């Protein structure tokens, strides 16, 4: 896609700090890192989100992410890693080209705010209702 910043990165039209590349996948460092080591794993084809990504491409992205998290441990020492992926402007997807964030936290690193949500028990009736609606939609698809 001509005006997509991540397509331009894949094509080398704008610079990036590349850490991994294969036939289907490209990975590079995020320039607004949430933590040291924050990287992005993207498909080479332009595809917007989880609804649209072909299964084989999704699988290639996640398989590459496994290689990369292993490498993060080798390069940075022990880390925990949040794998985060946003779909749609409503949850703050800014770049509309599918990407998986890999956000490591070193063992002596600061806690990641995005993973520190409070556990507040939900309304079990509402949870049951919504769960049943999603399961039925899967069944009837
Ligand atoms: P989001 O769409 O909210 O999941 O996040 C998009 C991410 O892309 C942000 O974390 C940005 O910092 C990152 N980003 C945007 N442009 C670039 C770029 N040219 N190189 C590296 N990372 C980028
Ligand atoms: Zn794109």
């Amino acid at each position: 896609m001509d005006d997509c910043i991540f397509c331009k990165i894949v094509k080398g039209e704008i610079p990036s700090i590349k850490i991994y590349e294969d036939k289907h996948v490209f990975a590079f460092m995020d320039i607004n890192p949430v933590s040291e080591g924050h990287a992005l794993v993207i498909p080479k084809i332009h595809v917007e989100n989880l609804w649209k990504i072909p299964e084989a491409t999704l699988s290639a992205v996640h398989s590459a992410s496994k290689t990369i998290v292993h490498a993060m441990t080798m390069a940075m020492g022990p880390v925990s890693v949040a794998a985060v992926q946003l779909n749609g402007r409503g949850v703050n997807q800014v770049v509309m080209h599918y990407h998986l964030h890999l956000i490591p936290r070193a063992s002596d690193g600061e806690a990641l705010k995005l993973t520190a949500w409070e556990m507040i028990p939900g309304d079990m009736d509402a949870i049951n209702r919504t769960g049943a609606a999603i399961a039925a939609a899967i069944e009837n698809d």
Side-chain angles (χ1 to χ4, degrees):
M1 206 198 196
D2 286 350
D3 61 351
C4 170
I5 189 165
F6 285 180
C7 283
K8 286 183 180 160
I9 285 177
V10 169
K11 286 188 258 172
E13 291 172 5
I14 60 171
S16 70
I17 301 165
K18 180 171 96 171
I19 57 171
Y20 175 89
E21 182 174 12
D22 66 29
K23 196 164 166 231
H24 303 291
V25 179
F26 194 91
F28 54 103
M29 302 305 283
D30 196 305
I31 52 169
N32 303 292
V34 169
S35 67
E36 183 187 348
H38 183 172
L40 299 169
V41 192
I42 68 173
K44 285 186 169 175
I45 57 165
H46 180 84
V47 59
E48 199 169 303
N49 57 36
L50 196 50
W51 290 279
K52 296 186 179 156
I53 191 167
E55 271 73 7
T57 309
L58 182 65
S59 175
V61 167
H62 282 262
S63 180
S65 76
K66 186 169 176 174
T67 302
I68 295 163
V69 294
H70 180 66
M72 282 173 168
T73 305
M74 308 278 280
M76 300 173 62
V79 289
S80 305
V81 180
V84 180
Q85 196 270 311
L86 307 177
N87 297 282
R89 297 207 187 273
V91 293
N92 214 20
Q93 182 180 4
V94 173
V95 179
M96 306 314 274
H97 179 130
Y98 185 99
H99 52 280
L100 180 66
H101 294 260
L102 296 177
I103 307 175
R105 179 191 177 188
S107 46
D108 59 353
E110 222 177 287
L112 302 178
K113 286 196 190 79
L114 79 163
T115 60
W117 63 76
E118 208 183 332
M119 298 272 189
I120 300 170
D123 172 343
M124 288 312 296
D125 287 341
I127 294 168
N128 265 309
R129 259 195 321 275
T130 309
I134 296 168
I138 292 169
E139 191 72 25
N140 299 328
D141 194 21

